Amino acid sequence: MGFALPEDQIKHLECVNKSLEMQLAYRSEATINATEDAKTWMKKANIEAQKCQEEKQLTLDLTRDMTRQYKSMEDQLLDKINERENTIQELTDKVAEMEQGHNRTIQQKDETISNKNNEIAAMKNKMEELGERFAEMLRDLTRQMSRKIELNSIREEGQEDAYIPIENKMEAFRVHEH
């Protein structure tokens, strides 16, 4: 169609124009739909990003809280351990002190027993000495009395030369007693 009539050309141009307008309308609608879809997806992405950020913050808060609780429990446990170690040390010291006191008491008791045993031995020795001295005194006294009795008996009878043993005189006395 090399030479077309101007009216045909106008019709043809009008058809092309309409076709282009329809394409433009279609593409405009597609662009609007795509833009709306893009906005919707952007909103969804923003919401998801915010949810993700909130989850991160929640995780961070939970981690901090758990760390704080762990530290607190660790401190409490260390305090209890220290308290128990102090109690053990105090009890160990008390036991050592009681053992020392017990050992001192046993030593004092042993010393007291030893002193008493020494006193008893000294008293036994003294009593034996006194007993021996008393026996010796009684023997001396008996000898002296025997001599005096013999001398008196000789003087009484007038026989100073005649000696009568005291045993004989005592025998005579015993015989008269019965």
Side-chain angles (χ1 to χ4, degrees):
M1 249 194 201
F3 293 106
L5 296 170
E7 293 155 10
D8 286 334
Q9 281 183 346
I10 288 178
K11 275 189 180 180
H12 176 58
L13 287 173
E14 281 180 0
C15 277
V16 169
N17 189 23
K18 270 196 180 199
S19 174
L20 287 173
E21 281 179 2
M22 280 176 49
Q23 283 181 4
L24 179 65
Y26 175 74
R27 287 189 180 162
S28 290
E29 189 177 321
T31 302
I32 289 172
N33 286 341
T35 303
E36 285 180 16
D37 284 347
K39 284 180 183 179
T40 301
W41 282 109
M42 285 299 282
K43 282 181 184 178
K44 285 181 180 180
N46 287 338
I47 290 171
E48 291 302 317
Q50 187 169 349
K51 283 182 182 177
C52 183
Q53 187 63 32
E54 288 172 359
E55 288 295 322
K56 282 182 182 179
Q57 187 62 41
L58 180 63
T59 301
L60 184 62
D61 291 344
L62 285 173
T63 302
R64 284 180 184 155
D65 188 49
M66 289 177 71
T67 302
R68 183 189 54 75
Q69 288 178 8
Y70 173 77
K71 292 275 187 191
S72 174
M73 287 172 37
E74 186 178 44
D75 289 344
Q76 289 174 353
L77 183 61
L78 286 174
D79 288 345
K80 285 182 180 179
I81 289 171
N82 289 334
E83 181 180 320
R84 300 277 166 29
E85 285 177 349
N86 289 338
T87 301
I88 289 170
Q89 186 61 45
E90 287 173 5
L91 291 174
T92 303
D93 292 345
K94 283 183 182 179
V95 166
E97 187 178 307
M98 289 174 70
E99 283 178 351
Q100 288 176 353
H102 180 69
N103 290 338
R104 278 193 301 267
T105 302
I106 288 174
Q107 185 179 10
Q108 289 172 350
K109 177 194 65 91
D110 290 345
E111 287 175 7
T112 302
I113 288 172
S114 177
N115 290 340
K116 293 296 179 183
N117 286 338
N118 291 339
E119 282 181 34
I120 290 170
M123 286 183 175
K124 279 183 181 178
N125 289 338
K126 194 170 189 178
M127 285 176 64
E128 286 176 12
E129 274 181 38
L130 289 174
E132 288 174 14
R133 286 171 65 193
F134 185 68
E136 186 64 33
M137 284 172 55
L138 286 177
R139 281 191 290 267
D140 287 345
L141 183 61
T142 305
R143 274 189 233 121
Q144 287 176 3
M145 285 177 66
S146 292
R147 280 187 199 153
K148 282 185 182 181
I149 291 173
E150 284 175 13
L151 287 175
N152 283 342
S153 80
I154 292 174
R155 282 185 196 152
E156 283 178 10
E157 294 176 8
Q159 301 175 354
E160 291 184 23
D161 294 338
Y163 172 73
I164 302 171
I166 188 78
E167 290 89 15
N168 292 342
K169 287 185 181 184
M170 290 180 95
E171 282 291 322
F173 182 69
R174 279 191 203 141
V175 170
H176 294 298
E177 272 183 15
H178 293 291

